Amino acid sequence: VEIYSLHVDCKVTSRFAHTVITSRIVNRANESREAIFEVELPKTAFITNFSMSIDGEVYPGVIKEKAAAQSKYDTAVSQGQSAGLVKITDRKLEQFHVSVSIAAASKVTFELTYEELLKRELGKYELLIKVRPKQLVKHFQIDVHIFEPQGIRFLETDGTFTTKKLTEALTKKQTETKAHILFKATVDQQKNNSELHEMLLNGDFIVRYDVKREATAGDIQIVNGYFVHYFAPQEMPVFPKNVIFVIDRSGSMAGRKIEQTRDALLKILQDLRPEDHFSFITFNSEVVEWKSSLLPATEENVASAAAFVQTLMARGGTDINDALLAAVGMLEKAEGLPERSVSMIILLTDGQPTSGERNVEVIQEIVQKAINGKYALFCLGFGFDVSYKFLEKMALSNGGVARRIYENADAALQLQGFYQEVATPILMQIEMQYPENSIERLTKNNFKLFFEGSEIIVSGKISNDLDLLPVEIKAQSHTSDLTLKEEANVKEKEQVFQNQRYTFGNFIERLWAYLTIQQLLEKAISAQEEDQKALEAQALDLSLQYSFVTPLTSMVVTKPQQQEELANKPTEAG
């Protein structure tokens, strides 16, 4: 079975990426064989389409409500048919895998489409394309078109498999607002060396870029009555932070995990700013405060903390509840902290609560009541024995986020990377205001914190014939209260995308739907049960309307002989 053509075609228009992967396979054997289509895609993406065409007959995937599709499918599984098509493979990726039996000399074409909104992290967007054909491919190419009306500030490509030979397969063209990246490798360029048929194409192909930003109140783009507003202020003073690290040192953290945690904390200590205040609380079945209060991040205090971190040993149970309450208590009674500053608690744990209060729902309630909206709580779950659902709900209920730390060689880097994302808060209490009577279906428009290097995105529908769309942003910076104003000329903005071949259809409407679904699902995590049902129902309607495979929908793939398989969207919480 030979893959004779593999094309990845990606269009990025104003951060919204639309990727189509097409694989053409021929069975050169003289009996039927299994043709396999295996693709890894970013977890943040939603699959929107899949089809296979065997000798000209097309078998499309159909997106349905997950509950309905699943019950039908479970029946098929119990009759010994097949398993799901999508599974999480690593920290950033999930894998779509489908196979079909094709007759001798038959051809099959697989086509998968997915979409995602690129998220700005540490000052750049990253488009990740995983390349692993597992054989030499006669026609292989990755074709990326980027169109950013704000202008492209910088652009770089990176391949984990790049050799001198493969560098020749890459061409880049760039203008003020557009970029075209073509990676087209011949069979010869794909070989590791001419003797061995070893494959070079195995790894990540990454495009990183950022856009130019002139307007202080961000940038507005409009297509067919839908707008998106990007806001990422620069060069602002950084808020001092008051941060308490709450570190699990129970028995299960022993060995590699506690070592990696020590390594990461030593690096993070170096990154504290002199105006920051910090402390450590470590816990197993007992909760130990390194110092009884927060200390300023002077050279002396940082050195003393580093010495303490070196001594961290792991044994005993896990009392998450009392550890978090101790952190809240320390922030409550803290004195002499800078008046305008950001207080946060960063929890790192690798397990379930086994000491003190063990009921995760009770812990969530107690912690939320104690924090009472005053501090942000970030929860890092180390490995797969944690209840990620519990950590995620607790973080989202308290103005933070949760992240899973994967147990592999780069775990210390993952921890550091997370800290860097939250290390530089530059705005608080951000409100993005639009004329109420002329905007509908607005996505989330107020945000507790804004970290340097990230981006706030708000989208909605302009309901009546507006000529000018005025926006007003209110926020607190370290030095003052800000009000930023901007107005967008609707007709002019619509013109920008009129004659661009880089764009695909109503991409801002699809971007709006993608963002809305993500926010509804996130809101549902920390909502009460009735609200949760309503939020999920809304998200389901949109997923079906815009045909996205989300955690609430399934794509039913019907193969020849009427055999059905399901593609479900896996989530970090399982």
Side-chain angles (χ1 to χ4, degrees), residues 469-501:
L469 171 61
V471 303
E472 186 171 291
I473 302 171
K474 291 196 159 140
Q476 295 171 13
S477 82
H478 175 40
T479 47
S480 62
D481 289 354
L482 301 177
T483 301
L484 304 170
K485 291 181 179 181
E486 184 76 47
E487 52 183 21
N489 181 318
V490 176
K491 293 244 180 335
E492 271 175 31
K493 292 283 179 188
E494 288 259 12
Q495 279 312 178
V496 176
F497 296 101
Q498 288 305 313
N499 32 23
Q500 296 300 340
R501 54 189 183 85

Side-chain angles (χ1 to χ4, degrees), residues 174-363:
Q174 195 182 328
T175 65
E176 179 74 11
T177 57
K178 293 176 186 167
H180 179 206
I181 296 144
L182 181 63
F183 179 74
K184 201 171 182 174
T186 63
V187 168
D188 186 46
Q189 286 169 321
Q190 293 170 43
K191 287 180 191 168
N192 205 345
N193 58 43
S194 46
E195 310 304 305
L196 301 165
H197 280 285
E198 219 182 310
M199 287 289 303
L200 275 177
L201 291 184
N202 181 356
D204 303 342
F205 183 78
I206 299 165
V207 179
R208 294 189 192 91
Y209 73 94
D210 196 18
V211 301
K212 294 179 178 168
R213 294 181 173 80
E214 262 99 53
T216 49
D219 192 78
I220 293 173
Q221 298 173 16
I222 302 171
V223 171
N224 294 342
Y226 278 84
F227 79 91
V228 59
H229 182 185
Y230 295 109
F231 179 55
Q234 286 156 297
E235 290 161 21
M236 292 221 161
V238 176
F239 277 106
K241 312 188 283 305
N242 315 309
V243 55
I244 300 183
F245 298 95
V246 181
I247 307 296
D248 183 342
R249 57 181 167 87
S250 60
S252 55
M253 284 286 286
R256 192 95 174 93
K257 283 190 210 167
I258 200 80
E259 269 170 45
Q260 290 174 317
T261 301
R262 284 198 298 255
D263 290 349
L265 290 173
L266 290 171
K267 296 260 183 2
I268 287 169
L269 280 167
Q270 297 308 312
D271 287 344
L272 288 169
R273 295 161 184 270
E275 60 274 17
D276 291 341
H277 285 70
F278 75 106
S279 194
F280 285 96
I281 289 175
T282 64
F283 68 97
N284 45 24
S285 26
E286 285 172 42
V287 174
V288 176
E289 297 182 356
W290 167 56
K291 299 282 187 227
S292 57
S293 62
L294 287 110
L295 298 185
T298 60
E299 225 169 291
E300 210 176 321
N301 289 336
V302 166
S304 153
F308 164 72
V309 165
Q310 301 278 22
T311 65
L312 281 180
M313 301 293 285
R315 54 178 163 285
T318 313
D319 188 346
I320 293 176
N321 188 57
D322 283 358
L324 286 174
L325 291 180
V328 174
M330 194 182 282
L331 283 168
E332 291 283 290
K333 63 176 201 283
E335 287 168 3
L337 298 180
E339 197 178 320
R340 277 188 182 240
S341 57
V342 171
S343 297
M344 55 175 81
I345 297 169
I346 298 178
L347 167 71
L348 172 69
T349 177
D350 76 331
Q352 312 276 1
T354 60
S355 308
E357 179 55 69
R358 293 174 198 189
N359 180 326
V360 290
E361 278 158 15
V362 173
I363 296 175

Side-chain angles (χ1 to χ4, degrees), residues 15-190:
R15 345 276 201 260
F16 197 58
H18 174 93
T19 304
V20 183
I21 298 177
T22 310
S23 172
R24 300 176 198 278
I25 297 177
V26 59
N27 178 6
R28 300 214 185 275
N30 46 17
E31 56 189 6
S32 48
R33 285 269 196 273
E34 204 70 11
I36 294 172
F37 177 66
E38 191 173 274
V39 174
E40 286 182 276
L41 59 142
K43 287 179 183 171
T44 44
F46 290 150
I47 290 172
T48 65
N49 210 342
F50 171 73
S51 70
M52 46 190 179
S53 128
I54 303 169
D55 293 334
E57 181 155 352
V58 180
Y59 298 86
V62 181
I63 295 176
K64 295 183 173 173
E65 181 184 353
K66 187 174 181 174
Q70 194 72 40
S71 61
K72 190 174 171 193
Y73 176 67
D74 290 342
T75 321
V77 172
S78 64
Q79 292 162 1
Q81 284 174 357
S82 75
L85 302 176
V86 189
K87 62 175 195 287
I88 287 181
T89 48
D90 80 1
R91 180 159 79 84
K92 288 185 174 176
L93 297 162
E94 58 195 33
Q95 183 193 70
F96 178 88
H97 175 108
V98 68
S99 62
V100 63
S101 172
I102 54 170
S106 272
K107 285 183 177 177
V108 56
T109 300
F110 295 104
E111 188 178 280
L112 180 75
T113 306
Y114 59 85
E115 292 178 343
E116 64 179 315
L117 182 54
L118 301 181
K119 190 175 172 217
R120 188 166 182 255
E121 274 173 7
L122 303 177
K124 45 186 171 282
Y125 306 99
E126 183 177 284
L127 178 72
L128 170 63
I129 294 167
K130 189 77 177 180
V131 181
R132 201 188 301 183
K134 295 185 178 164
Q135 57 169 268
L136 298 169
V137 178
K138 194 172 170 186
H139 302 286
F140 174 87
Q141 73 172 45
I142 297 172
D143 200 5
V144 179
H145 287 274
I146 298 173
F147 175 44
E148 288 288 351
Q150 280 172 267
I152 295 169
R153 190 174 69 78
F154 83 91
L155 175 89
E156 59 185 32
T157 56
D158 194 2
T160 52
F161 47 76
T162 320
T163 57
K164 189 171 182 302
K165 235 181 358 177
L166 281 175
T167 312
E168 292 163 12
L170 181 70
T171 52
K172 279 194 276 193
K173 288 190 188 122
Q174 195 182 328
T175 65
E176 179 74 11
T177 57
K178 293 176 186 167
H180 179 206
I181 296 144
L182 181 63
F183 179 74
K184 201 171 182 174
T186 63
V187 168
D188 186 46
Q189 286 169 321
Q190 293 170 43

Side-chain angles (χ1 to χ4, degrees), residues 390-434:
F390 156 61
L391 295 180
E392 188 173 37
K393 183 170 181 177
M394 201 156 58
L396 290 171
S397 306
N398 296 291
V401 291
R403 190 72 57 84
R404 191 189 296 281
I405 301 298
Y406 277 68
E407 282 181 64
N408 43 28
D410 74 344
L413 283 173
Q414 293 175 52
L415 287 165
Q416 253 176 281
F418 173 79
Y419 174 75
Q420 280 170 342
E421 282 176 49
V422 298
T424 45
I426 56 175
L427 290 178
M428 279 166 79
Q429 312 302 351
I430 305 105
E431 281 181 48
M432 314 279 283
Q433 299 172 345
Y434 307 88

Side-chain angles (χ1 to χ4, degrees), residues 16 115 221-228 441 459-461 504-517 542 545-546 548:
F16 197 58
E115 292 178 343
Q221 298 173 16
I222 302 171
V223 171
N224 294 342
Y226 278 84
F227 79 91
V228 59
R441 302 183 181 177
S459 182
K461 187 174 192 297
F504 45 95
N506 286 345
F507 84 94
I508 293 187
E509 184 175 344
R510 293 194 67 78
L511 181 160
W512 165 83
Y514 171 97
L515 194 57
T516 304
I517 291 166
L542 286 173
Q545 188 184 338
Y546 290 92
F548 285 129

